[in-house]
Amino acid sequence: MRYLLQTLLLFFFLFAPLYFVTHLFFNVFHIVNPTLFLFISLLLAGYFYKNCQSLFIEEIEAIPPAIQIILAILTLLLIVINFLVGIDDSGDAYFYHLNIAVPLALYHNVFDYSLYDLDSYSEGYPKFANFLQAIAIAWTGYFWGYGLISILIIPCSFIVVYKLARQLQFLPQQSAWIGLLYACNPINISQATTGYIDTIQSIYVLVLMMLACYPASLAVFSLFLLNIVVLVNIKFTGLLLGASLFSFYLLLNRDFLLKQWQKGLGLCVIAGGFAVLHYAHNWLTYGTLVFPFIDSAFAKVIADLYIVQEGYFARLLRLFWTVPQSLSVLAIYDTVHGAFSFLWYPLPLFILFAWFKAIYQRNTYFIAILGIFCFLLALDPVLSIGRYVVYFQCIGFLALAYVLSPRYQWILPLLTIAYLTLAGYSLLNPETGIIQRRLAYFAQRQVFLQSIQSQRRQFFDFYYDINAACPGYYWLLRFYQVPVKLVETPPQGDNFFYIHRKEYQQHCEVDTHFLAAIDAQIQQTEQGQTLKLSAKNPAAQENCQLCVSEYGCLYLPFHIYTMTINLSHVFHFQTAGEKQLQLTCRALNGDLTEKTLKWTVEKAL
């Protein structure tokens, strides 16, 4: 497991940021060469790794084996679910995240908005989180492979929080329990296998805190700046988070930076240039840094849709101590209130106690960590929605371990067991569990999904309602190279799938239209009794079976329109008398159609 953890650190915080920056740089000059991008990124990653190798290796061997096993089992289980159990049902993924991720996977161009096909807000949205999803889609060759990123965030969260705790002088076993607590928090679990990016943003907030606490060097500062670049390119709120964390680094490492101010300034200028490329492109293209907002008044209107109109303290209480409507809603990735779960209820009190203890002990580093967590939380414009501030749960776990005396450290594994139990419930509960939702979502669209990956797609038209606001479905068809037609009104025809969304409905629907019929006749010809089978629109029928007395049954190819069989030549019956033939087909909607014929055989052969 420790090799996986090292690999995840290298991928998320070294290779992927360099791969993204390489795309940014070359795409500005309209250069698109994935092989070149990969080669340069690997070279740069090797150089960085050589200079800060210890950061990726040290401390990992001290992780207790039992915790490694738990983490490995949970990760493997989620990977199996992602690739073998149903499909993702996250609304925002199909609404706009996949409208970024799939074009990036197909075209490797961050700035050419003409490749997006469907006009939406996605074009001007920061793209690094979806860039990670694009890597997963491209490297797995599986459309829903993007869910792998939100899964790997879980073990990655563990190792980042573990290393942060070690920098704060917690013991290895304490740090491991703190890391596992954060890794298994309800939002991490509920967003696993989905296209949501909240947990992705939070892990970059945490790794920047960890790097700020790490012994300063130019290599570590370079790595810090590299991850600042990608944080500001995940969401627009990344600008506030990035600026705050940069100031945090300057505060903790001011002595080092004063000595290395010339090199440090040069690195800051380079990183700043890459960090603002997306926003500069927005300005040149749309005349605004944060597309689609032109004026702040309109931005406030949109924000008010998510913010409960109440005082700041009331919103804070709603974030910390809202009782979920039911236990099952904790399994929903977009839980608005109570997302930290009831298990987190006492932890804000421990955060308060930790402030008093750290000030009393003059623990400067812990005071700084408490301060930056609380400051970032105060900056968030949508405070009461838990999934937007996933990272804040971490300070609750750190504070708990800091306040508890050695005598009561057993509370950490006990609380971890409770979180793992809640994680299991989020996966398995029959109402809104991840497995149940994925299976139900797939079952409702099974015919459509099977059709785009089979010969049937040659006989059907695929229509996408341009007003459906579900571009993920459009890109699903493009990913599997299925021709798709954009329409504004419901189509007419015999065979088609129609993707649309009713007003105020969360998910897109797929209507299937087809005509199907079968026929069987026996005719007397000069050659003897002849059977004529026919199927109208055979592409809409499957598992057609021909059953004949004495011979049993045979599957017929669904693409056969007509078939003529000379009964006397083909079938040699052992006995005379009445014989029966039955033709059965199952239509796409599950309806069974059948035709039965009877005839008499005069004598046996």
Side-chain angles (χ1 to χ4, degrees), residues 148-184:
L148 187 62
I149 298 299
S150 56
I151 293 170
L152 295 179
I153 284 295
I154 292 175
C156 194
S157 295
F158 166 80
I159 189 60
V160 168
V161 173
Y162 170 81
K163 292 177 78 67
L164 173 61
R166 292 293 292 130
Q167 293 303 311
L168 295 173
Q169 305 304 310
F170 286 100
L171 297 173
Q173 189 160 353
Q174 283 179 299
S175 302
W177 289 120
I178 295 168
L180 191 57
L181 276 167
Y182 181 79
C184 298

Side-chain angles (χ1 to χ4, degrees), residues 330-404:
L330 292 176
I332 302 176
Y333 43 80
D334 59 351
T335 298
V336 174
H337 303 303
F340 288 0
S341 89
F342 53 87
L343 293 175
W344 207 78
Y345 284 0
L347 297 189
L349 300 177
F350 282 91
I351 294 174
L352 182 62
F353 297 153
W355 270 107
F356 291 130
K357 183 176 180 179
I359 292 171
Y360 176 77
Q361 294 182 340
R362 298 182 181 180
N363 189 334
T364 307
Y365 261 66
F366 206 85
I367 292 172
I369 284 292
L370 285 165
I372 190 62
F373 269 106
C374 294
F375 182 73
L376 294 182
L377 182 70
L379 282 181
D380 194 273
V382 193
L383 178 63
S384 57
I385 299 182
R387 67 184 175 93
Y388 293 154
V389 288
V390 188
Y391 59 84
F392 193 77
Q393 295 173 89
C394 180
I395 191 58
F397 304 135
L398 289 168
L400 176 65
Y402 183 66
V403 170
L404 290 175

Side-chain angles (χ1 to χ4, degrees), residues 393-542:
Q393 295 173 89
C394 180
I395 191 58
F397 304 135
L398 289 168
L400 176 65
Y402 183 66
V403 170
L404 290 175
S405 66
R407 181 180 177 183
Y408 294 102
Q409 287 296 317
W410 55 266
I411 292 177
L412 291 177
L414 184 64
L415 185 60
T416 305
I417 292 171
Y419 267 89
L420 286 169
T421 303
L422 183 60
Y425 183 79
S426 295
L427 289 173
L428 301 172
N429 87 73
E431 293 181 62
T432 58
I434 291 174
I435 292 176
Q436 173 61 30
R437 290 202 321 271
R438 290 176 63 90
L439 288 173
Y441 196 79
F442 174 77
Q444 294 166 5
R445 296 154 181 83
Q446 183 173 3
V447 172
F448 167 72
L449 296 171
Q450 290 175 343
S451 298
I452 64 177
Q453 301 180 66
S454 70
Q455 291 179 327
R456 192 180 297 134
R457 63 184 180 179
Q458 302 175 42
F459 302 93
F460 277 75
D461 292 320
F462 293 82
Y463 295 96
Y464 175 80
D465 182 354
I466 194 67
N467 297 309
C470 279
Y473 280 82
Y474 172 85
W475 286 108
L476 170 64
L477 295 170
R478 290 290 306 276
F479 183 79
Y480 287 107
Q481 301 181 356
V482 178
V484 54
K485 301 175 183 179
L486 304 179
V487 295
E488 293 189 69
T489 57
Q492 302 293 324
D494 291 337
N495 286 358
F496 65 83
F497 291 99
Y498 174 47
I499 302 164
H500 65 99
R501 179 162 66 168
K502 297 177 182 178
E503 193 172 6
Y504 303 118
Q505 185 170 299
Q506 181 181 5
H507 295 297
C508 269
E509 300 296 335
V510 182
D511 291 344
T512 306
H513 188 273
F514 62 90
L515 300 173
I518 59 175
D519 189 39
Q521 297 180 2
I522 294 179
Q523 299 175 348
Q524 188 67 39
T525 65
E526 295 180 356
Q527 289 77 27
Q529 289 180 314
T530 301
L531 170 66
K532 287 191 175 182
L533 304 176
S534 65
K536 182 178 182 181
N537 196 14
Q541 303 178 75
E542 55 190 1

Side-chain angles (χ1 to χ4, degrees), residues 15-82:
F15 170 76
L18 288 170
Y19 197 36
F20 179 70
V21 167
T22 305
H23 278 72
L24 287 176
F25 178 77
F26 285 102
N27 288 167
V28 166
F29 302 103
H30 306 288
I31 298 173
V32 179
N33 189 324
T35 305
L36 175 66
F37 298 167
L38 182 61
F39 177 72
I40 292 176
S41 302
L42 289 172
L43 281 181
L44 292 173
Y47 174 78
F48 268 93
Y49 181 70
K50 182 180 178 181
N51 288 279
C52 52
Q53 183 176 356
S54 61
L55 194 150
F56 297 98
I57 295 177
E58 64 183 21
E59 303 287 356
I60 293 181
E61 291 186 357
I63 299 171
I67 291 180
Q68 293 187 46
I69 292 171
I70 292 171
L71 201 59
I73 292 173
L74 178 60
T75 304
L76 182 60
L77 175 62
L78 289 168
I79 290 174
V80 170
I81 291 172
N82 187 73

Side-chain angles (χ1 to χ4, degrees), residues 75-122:
T75 304
L76 182 60
L77 175 62
L78 289 168
I79 290 174
V80 170
I81 291 172
N82 187 73
F83 286 94
L84 298 179
V85 181
I87 60 172
D88 176 28
D89 71 330
S90 55
D92 279 9
Y94 296 102
F95 178 51
Y96 64 94
H97 288 307
L98 289 173
N99 199 39
I100 303 172
V102 183
L104 286 175
L106 295 176
Y107 307 124
H108 293 271
N109 197 316
V110 178
F111 294 127
D112 190 350
Y113 297 163
S114 66
L115 299 174
Y116 284 72
D117 287 357
L118 301 177
D119 186 26
S120 75
Y121 294 159
S122 304

Side-chain angles (χ1 to χ4, degrees), residues 159-278:
I159 189 60
V160 168
V161 173
Y162 170 81
K163 292 177 78 67
L164 173 61
R166 292 293 292 130
Q167 293 303 311
L168 295 173
Q169 305 304 310
F170 286 100
L171 297 173
Q173 189 160 353
Q174 283 179 299
S175 302
W177 289 120
I178 295 168
L180 191 57
L181 276 167
Y182 181 79
C184 298
N185 77 73
I187 303 175
N188 269 8
I189 299 298
S190 63
Q191 289 197 2
T193 77
T194 76
Y196 277 74
I197 65 172
D198 306 294
T199 57
I200 297 175
Q201 183 184 48
S202 284
I203 193 61
Y204 282 92
V205 170
L206 293 173
V207 80
L208 287 168
M209 290 185 188
M210 184 267 287
L211 290 171
C213 295
Y214 208 78
S217 69
L218 285 176
V220 172
F221 186 50
S222 300
L223 193 61
F224 177 88
L225 292 174
L226 178 64
N227 284 278
I228 282 278
V229 170
V230 297
L231 176 62
V232 302
N233 279 278
I234 293 177
K235 292 184 179 183
F236 291 133
T237 53
L239 289 169
L240 292 174
L241 295 170
S244 302
L245 288 164
F246 180 72
S247 301
F248 179 65
Y249 189 95
L250 296 182
L251 178 65
L252 290 187
N253 300 281
R254 56 189 179 278
D255 293 338
F256 166 78
L257 292 173
L258 284 173
K259 293 178 182 178
Q260 300 284 345
W261 70 269
Q262 289 179 315
K263 293 180 180 179
L265 182 61
L267 291 172
C268 289
V269 170
I270 295 171
F274 282 112
V276 301
L277 270 179
H278 165 77

